[in-house]
Amino acid sequence: MTEPGFEDGEEPGIPARHPARSPRIPLPRAAVEDTGHPLPALDDLRAAMNPPRLPHRVLTSLLGAWALSACSPEETAAVEDHLGTCGSCADEARRLREAVGLLHPPETLDLDPSLRTRVLETCLDRRPPSIPVPDWATAYDAETARLDALLQDFGESEWHAPVRLRWYDGKDRTTRRTTVAGVIAHLLAVDGLVALALGLDDPLGDITADRPTPAARTEACWRSSRIPPTRSVRAPWREQSHALVRTVAFTGGGAGRMAVPYHDFTLPLHDAMIDRAFECWTHAEDIADAVNYPYDAPSGRHLNRMIDLAARMLPEVLAARRRAGLAAPARHLVAAGDPGRTLRLEIEGSGGGEWLIPLDSPAASPSTDHEVAHVALDDVEFCGLAAGHVSPEDAAAGQDGDREAIRDVLSAAAALSRM
């Protein structure tokens, strides 16, 4: 003979374990220590140990308040004692507790990186802009907006959180320690190279760098501050990013061929803006890691542009490494424009595609008929390789064909990185 409301094998207050159906008794609520509310008084605890006996109709009316954790300690104790003996109330309490859970979804509230692009496209389809932003500048516009959204709620402690910048110097991985504010100062200084090319003010002002390279400008910016950079660096960085987007919009799409010197190399403006978008995303991930916050990759379309720029730069980087003795010598030199040995770079994911990389000379024409190697990589992992966050040896690449050519191309991809 079992007690009323229980099945054979069940004990009072302990729900039976039936794998085919959910337990009637709701899961325990969070401990009061985790809610931020004050702990109950000692008298309340004594009352909870001896719950009052309330009529069934009163206990039923309290189920909604109990599910919302809005009952007094005495009422809570009475309801929970009753749930152990009344199956219908236990089922109703479980449904109410699940409904309350829907009011507080555990999913992240961060927006999809592609949402901003989709909203803008929908708006612009209905009302085209009088001064449109060139397509090659939209990735920079989106990535600076995403990073600014990450920064807006940072307190002083987050701005001073340590960040370790990582890149590949051609032979080994290199690191440099700074703070979140120092990273934004770095972006401000390097974006200034694009600002100077467009005729805008240099964010460094009277600060003189040893050389007009991204690393030298950054070091000069850091040295110029008597105290480490703080949240005050955010405003000039954001103002400059807005100014760059406005200026290229007013200048028009034809300005994309304008040269932007990086001292060691030069990029046309349309590639420089993609390069700055890539570095903005890379360092946004550095910052997010420093404050233990999730950060998604760019939208597939923008990611594809970043990968395309890296793939187009690989032949020149490979040739430079060969001249420096860091890559194997060319095997079959051909006249400019003639087909030569080729590596197929296959990138998987939303930003992926296929690129043919000439191996022996940047002037050679890549050809599927002369393909000697094939490399397959995930889109985000390839970007991590190009950013110097993944070493050529650690890249989880699908490889087939000439191992020497594959090693040289992966090393060249890592050599694209810089501070």
Side-chain angles (χ1 to χ4, degrees), residues 328-339:
R331 293 188 186 178
H332 302 288
L333 291 175
V334 297
D338 287 349

Side-chain angles (χ1 to χ4, degrees), residues 4 6 14 32 34 49 108 113 145-146 148 180 186 218 252 263 279 289 297 310 339 370 414:
F6 289 87
I14 303 178
V32 67
D34 299 331
M49 295 174 63
T108 176
R146 288 210 301 146
D148 189 54
V180 169
H186 164 60
T218 299
H263 183 68
E279 186 164 1
D289 288 342
H370 294 74

Side-chain angles (χ1 to χ4, degrees), residues 24-29 59-73 75-81 83 89-90 92-98 100:
R24 295 184 305 175
I25 306 301
L27 297 176
R29 294 174 298 164
L59 293 167
T60 302
S61 68
L62 289 173
L63 292 179
W66 174 86
L68 292 168
S69 301
C71 288
S72 68
E75 293 170 337
T76 299
V79 169
E80 292 178 350
D81 183 67
L83 293 181
C89 285
E92 179 65 15
R94 176 178 57 82
R95 287 191 291 269
L96 290 171
R97 179 55 56 82
E98 291 174 350
V100 170

Side-chain angles (χ1 to χ4, degrees), residues 261-296:
Y262 283 69
H263 183 68
D264 297 329
F265 60 95
T266 299
L267 290 176
L269 178 61
H270 58 78
D271 284 346
M273 293 297 287
I274 296 171
D275 169 76
R276 302 313 308 142
F278 175 76
E279 186 164 1
C280 182
W281 164 46
T282 299
H283 290 320
E285 284 198 330
D286 291 334
I287 291 172
D289 288 342
V291 298
N292 195 26
Y293 195 86
Y295 201 81
D296 291 329

Side-chain angles (χ1 to χ4, degrees), residues 186 189-190 193 204 207-223 262-264 419:
H186 164 60
V190 184
L193 293 171
L204 297 186
I207 301 172
T208 303
D210 298 336
R211 295 187 303 161
T213 63
R217 286 175 59 87
T218 299
E219 295 289 353
C221 181
W222 287 343
R223 288 195 306 267
Y262 283 69
H263 183 68
D264 297 329
M419 185 174 75

Side-chain angles (χ1 to χ4, degrees), residues 184-202:
I184 302 303
H186 164 60
L187 291 175
L188 174 72
V190 184
D191 284 358
L193 293 171
V194 182
L196 287 171
L198 289 171
L200 301 176
D201 292 337
D202 188 344

